[in-house]
Amino acid sequence: MVNDTIADMLTRVRNANLARHKIVQIPSTKMTRSISSVLLEEGFIQNFEEIGDGFNKQLLLSLKYKGKEGEPVITSLKRISRPGLRVYANRKELPRVLGGLGVAIISTSQGVLTDNKACLLYTSDAADDLLC
């Protein structure tokens, strides 16, 4: 049994990308399903589905590759907040991944969102939209 399911998921996806696998299997939890749905919405994976029943549920993620060389769409995965060192940030302190070209996946009180959606969700007026 794995204690840190998020780190386990990221490691499995990272290893599958390096090995150029088309499908990766990860244990299904509420958090891994939420992260998978954000990855699907942002176009980093082709599809995901849940298989199994009871305590043995698994997620099958179909990874996405581009070009003739089959380069992975996901170039890097990094966990910032971890069980031993939690990182909290307000809207103004959200991380900018690749100068705004990448995506940070953030757990909020409204659910798991991308950094852009979280910033827009928590803006108070139109002038703050420029900060996102």
Side-chain angles (χ1 to χ4, degrees), residues 35-55:
I35 293 171
S36 297
S37 66
V38 169
L39 289 173
L40 180 64
E41 287 173 13
E42 294 297 317
F44 289 105
I45 60 174
Q46 287 181 351
N47 196 6
F48 75 94
E49 68 176 280
E50 190 172 35
I51 59 169
D53 56 344
F55 292 109

Side-chain angles (χ1 to χ4, degrees), residues 68-80:
K68 291 182 181 180
E69 301 295 320
E71 291 297 317
V73 172
I74 299 174
T75 56
S76 68
L77 291 171
K78 190 178 196 183
R79 173 117 192 236
I80 304 298

Side-chain angles (χ1 to χ4, degrees), residues 94-113:
L94 289 177
R96 301 299 294 173
V97 180
L98 296 173
L101 296 175
V103 175
I105 299 175
I106 299 169
S107 176
T108 67
S109 59
Q110 300 295 315
V112 177
L113 305 169

Side-chain angles (χ1 to χ4, degrees), residues 11-47:
T11 300
R12 287 177 188 230
V13 170
R14 194 179 304 119
N15 289 341
N17 263 338
L18 288 173
R20 302 283 201 268
H21 289 234
K22 294 184 184 209
I23 296 174
V24 62
Q25 183 176 349
I26 58 173
S28 179
T29 63
K30 286 181 185 179
M31 184 59 75
T32 57
R33 283 191 302 271
S34 298
I35 293 171
S36 297
S37 66
V38 169
L39 289 173
L40 180 64
E41 287 173 13
E42 294 297 317
F44 289 105
I45 60 174
Q46 287 181 351
N47 196 6

Side-chain angles (χ1 to χ4, degrees), residues 113-127:
L113 305 169
T114 64
D115 53 345
N116 289 333
K117 287 183 183 177
C119 186
L120 292 174
L121 182 67
Y122 292 106
T123 55
S124 58
D125 57 19

